[in-house]
Amino acid sequence: MAIEHAAVQVARKPWGVGDLHPWSSIDVAGAPVGELWFQRTHKHAPIPALLLKLLFTSEPLSIQVHPDDEFARSIGLPNGKTEAWYILAAAPGARVALGLKRRLTPQALRAAIRDGSIADLTQWCPVAKGDIIFVPAGTIHAIGAGIVLAEIQQRSDTTFRLFDYGRQRELHEECAVAVSDAGPVQAQSGPRRITTARTALITSQHFVVELIDLPANSNWALNADRETWILAIEGRARIALTSISVGDAVFIEGDRTGIEVGAGGMRGLVAYPGPDPVAALLQDAGELTKSAGMSAGDALKSSETVEVQA
């Protein structure tokens, strides 16, 4: 059982930024910060299956690809890397790359990496605040400049670069060719409403990502029977004894607790292992109290389930 205000690890990147506000008050003096990794606070705690990050870009990231579980295990790694991005902020003209404009043979992909023409073959599309993008392992992708996003991923840092805008970092031609699905991406399914407060943004084998929108001064029962990450993106709330506001994250596992929402309401992202949404994850404590005739305290401990709406 665990309820922890997540610790933050800073990752400095050549494409990062010098100002993280309003997402973090960390002093970024020195090299630019590209990523904030949320970690469990207890050093000897079991390692979670998922990793939650914030990314800040002032320049485009490399064009890259990640392995799936099968390839990762073939080279001695525990798992591959499927990820999803939720756009928190985007400058005018901001864009991301996902897949290629046309399908390439392995030989053509290898040649495009060697001569740099892969940069012209990637499929770029504009993004705006609130967009969600699913990036399955094997998808050639890149993140452009002027973006702040939350990334939820399998816990892996394995990246194979195909193009790096002259930064003189190593490219990984052989592995990139071996793992890439070198063609256009399939259309992604849209968000699906679960309850009035919950929307499923991504449902996949590896994780579920939800957007929660909790009204001002409301109380909720949270039943996290598996590892669960909550990132506040608007407003304030109190989860157990932990107060969170914009940019704060909480890790919960095998625990039931309450969420007390502040006067301005709270919106957040919730991520947990897939493949399906957990019906009883979040319930209105006030409604539970009314329907069951129990006290507010008992309502927060209730494990009754609710139906998932299509």
Side-chain angles (χ1 to χ4, degrees):
M1 299 174 67
I3 304 175
E4 303 169 6
H5 195 162
V8 179
Q9 177 183 336
V10 174
R12 298 185 182 272
K13 302 287 185 177
W15 41 261
V17 302
D19 183 2
L20 305 180
H21 290 89
W23 307 102
S24 175
S25 59
I26 292 174
D27 183 0
V28 298
V33 171
E35 300 179 0
L36 298 179
W37 294 25
F38 293 102
Q39 307 280 17
R40 296 198 60 180
T41 54
H42 301 295
K43 294 181 179 179
H44 301 296
I47 298 173
L50 303 180
L51 177 60
L52 171 64
K53 299 178 181 178
L54 296 183
L55 274 69
F56 307 83
T57 70
S58 63
E59 301 174 7
L61 277 66
S62 63
I63 296 173
Q64 57 189 241
V65 68
H66 307 304
D68 62 12
D69 290 347
E70 182 179 2
F71 185 89
R73 289 166 184 156
S74 75
I75 59 173
L77 301 174
N79 55 262
K81 183 178 176 183
T82 285
E83 62 190 54
W85 309 327
Y86 182 85
I87 306 298
L88 297 169
R95 57 184 192 158
V96 299
L98 205 64
L100 301 181
K101 296 175 181 176
R102 57 184 175 84
R103 183 155 297 280
L104 300 181
T105 65
Q107 295 79 11
L109 177 60
R110 189 184 307 277
I113 296 171
R114 290 180 178 178
D115 65 17
S117 62
I118 188 67
D120 299 318
L121 294 171
T122 50
Q123 183 65 59
W124 290 86
C125 60
V127 290
K129 178 180 176 180
D131 287 347
I132 183 75
I133 298 104
F134 183 50
V135 189
T139 304
I140 296 172
H141 64 275
I143 301 171
I147 294 173
V148 181
L149 63 82
E151 179 175 295
I152 298 94
Q153 58 161 94
Q154 289 180 273
R155 184 168 289 269
S156 168
D157 198 30
T158 305
T159 296
F160 303 136
R161 285 188 292 269
L162 292 79
F163 184 81
D164 200 32
Y165 298 94
R167 294 190 183 105
Q168 305 302 315
R169 294 186 296 179
E170 180 185 2
L171 301 182
H172 307 98
E173 177 186 313
E174 292 300 326
C175 287
V177 171
V179 306
S180 291
D181 179 5
V185 297
Q186 295 182 350
Q188 300 182 9
S189 58
R192 179 169 61 92
R193 182 62 62 91
I194 300 175
T195 68
T196 55
R198 299 169 59 193
T199 300
L201 301 176
I202 298 291
T203 55
S204 73
Q205 173 188 353
H206 300 294
F207 50 74
V208 173
V209 181
E210 296 186 21
L211 177 68
I212 59 172
D213 195 347
L214 308 182
N217 303 312
S218 58
N219 289 277
W220 298 80
L222 178 67
N223 180 22
D225 64 351
R226 64 198 69 183
E227 79 168 71
T228 302
W229 295 90
I230 301 178
L231 172 70
I233 60 175
E234 291 181 20
R236 296 175 179 273
R238 189 175 186 86
I239 301 177
L241 300 178
T242 299
S243 295
I244 61 171
S245 57
V246 173
D248 289 329
V250 174
F251 175 85
I252 308 165
E253 184 173 36
D255 223 323
R256 299 173 186 166
T257 188
I259 302 179
E260 300 176 18
V261 182
M266 197 275 277
R267 300 184 85 214
L269 297 176
V270 181
Y272 49 87
D276 300 311
V278 176
L281 178 74
L282 188 67
Q283 298 167 272
D284 187 326
E287 290 300 320
L288 286 175
T289 301
K290 292 176 185 177
S291 63
M294 60 181 70
S295 69
D298 288 339
L300 294 178
K301 298 176 183 178
S302 172
S303 59
E304 293 182 1
T305 61
V306 296
E307 293 297 322
V308 177
Q309 301 172 4

